Amino acid sequence: MHWDNPTPVVAAVIEYEGKVLLARNVAWPPSMFALVTGFLECDESPASAVLREVKEETGLDAPQATLIGAYDFPRMNQLILGYHVPAQGTLALGEELAEVKLIAPERVRPWPMATGLALADWLRARGLPVHFRGPPSP
């Protein structure tokens, strides 16, 4: 029997040197940037998973992760668990990332689905206006 349950995925709103870190996966087009994401490993908590993913993909250290919220991503059959991750250290991109960019929080324009909704909620929690790249999802 196959239940087709959604897969849990962690996503990190990485705050580094006062800016938001967005990453481009090596498989993505040059203009596409998003949050660092990843899957949980066996016997791993979501908070531990997001800290591990941040370290693996960016080389940055993060002492804690604070849950922002849970977001459905039906197109990929995933449940996104968004975390705020203040990070420090020296950037060292892992093999999955082509490049990163750092953006001042007030200049970030989230995308209207999945991890972009976590980023939007993080911005709102800081009293910043949210301007989506396109029309917000229902």
Side-chain angles (χ1 to χ4, degrees):
M1 186 174 293
H2 178 67
W3 297 101
D4 200 26
N5 295 335
T7 303
V9 173
V10 293
V13 176
I14 300 171
E15 189 176 5
Y16 177 66
E17 297 182 346
K19 296 185 177 171
V20 174
L21 184 148
L22 297 180
R24 184 172 71 82
N25 187 288
V26 295
W28 296 349
S31 62
M32 186 174 174
F33 286 79
L35 302 182
V36 167
T37 62
F39 299 104
L40 280 73
E41 294 180 356
C42 184
D43 295 327
E44 185 176 46
S45 73
S48 295
V50 76
L51 295 176
R52 175 185 49 76
E53 287 291 339
V54 167
K55 183 66 173 177
E56 287 176 1
E57 295 190 25
T58 68
L60 297 175
D61 296 309
Q64 67 181 12
T66 305
L67 183 66
I68 299 168
Y71 307 86
D72 63 333
F73 190 19
R75 186 177 62 148
M76 297 294 290
N77 194 28
Q78 295 174 343
L79 174 66
I80 307 293
L81 301 172
Y83 285 86
H84 171 228
V85 180
Q88 57 196 16
T90 303
L91 275 168
L93 301 188
E95 62 186 32
E96 293 181 38
L97 298 185
E99 62 181 312
V100 298
K101 61 182 176 178
L102 297 170
I103 304 171
E106 62 275 5
R107 297 183 50 100
V108 172
R109 295 202 55 204
W111 41 101
M113 67 179 155
T115 60
L117 300 177
L119 182 52
D121 282 348
W122 180 80
L123 291 168
R124 282 187 198 102
R126 273 138 193 81
L128 294 170
V130 173
H131 303 285
F132 285 100
R133 291 185 191 169
S137 60

